[in-house]
């Protein structure tokens, strides 16, 4: 699991979903959580701050999560940050596309706090080695 002081960025165009994810993260002991409502805002925050983890919605206006993910992975400063796609899109080809584009894991809405915790642990371990 990431250290408790890890800084999370929750990216979703729906404030309700951002609030749900923030609450789950808080329950897991993570209080350093910031939000963005689309990919453009997310990239701007990521480039100006030090984030340890990104939870990224797929379907958003202005810049969707898939495009945002590709931008993160092509940026030398950001490419090492673990990214989990959070989406209602459960199609196999979407999951595959996200993984091929560099997502560390994938959570389909609706999800339980346990599922999110497990995906965060797996993604963190894969990148940081434990």
């Amino acid at each position: 699991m990431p250290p408790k002081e890890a800084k999370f960025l929750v990216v979703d165009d729906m404030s309700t979903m951002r609030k749900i994810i923030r609450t789950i993260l808080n329950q897991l002991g993570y209080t350093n959580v910031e939000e963005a409502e689309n990919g453009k805002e997310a990239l701007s925050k990521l480039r100006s701050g030090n984030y340890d983890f990104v939870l990224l919605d797929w379907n958003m206006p202005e810049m969707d999560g898939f495009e945002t993910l590709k931008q993160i992975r092509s940026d030398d400063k950001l490419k090492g940050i673990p990214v989990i796609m959070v989406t209602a899109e459960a199609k196999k080809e979407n999951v595959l596309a996200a993984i091929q584009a560099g997502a560390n894991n994938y959570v389909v809405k609706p999800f339980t706090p346990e599922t999110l915790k497990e995906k965060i642990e797996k993604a963190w371990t894969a990148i940081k080695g434990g």
Side-chain angles (χ1 to χ4, degrees), residues 39 56-69:
L56 183 60
D57 183 31
W58 189 299
N59 295 312
M60 296 180 291
E62 295 203 41
M63 184 188 288
D64 69 19
F66 190 66
E67 183 55 38
T68 307
L69 174 66

Side-chain angles (χ1 to χ4, degrees), residues 44-55:
S44 164
K45 285 190 170 201
L46 286 166
R47 288 179 176 138
S48 64
N50 262 336
Y51 292 88
D52 299 297
F53 218 102
V54 179
L55 296 166

Side-chain angles (χ1 to χ4, degrees), residues 7-25:
K7 188 173 180 183
F8 283 79
L9 183 61
V10 177
V11 189
D12 198 304
D13 57 321
M14 289 180 59
S15 59
T16 318
M17 185 48 67
R18 291 196 308 269
K19 193 172 283 184
I20 289 168
I21 294 173
R22 177 188 283 270
T23 301
I24 293 171
L25 289 171

Side-chain angles (χ1 to χ4, degrees), residues 99-116:
I99 299 301
Q100 286 171 340
N104 298 94
N105 222 318
Y106 202 94
V107 182
V108 178
K109 299 173 189 172
F111 53 85
T112 64
E114 291 73 30
T115 300
L116 188 61

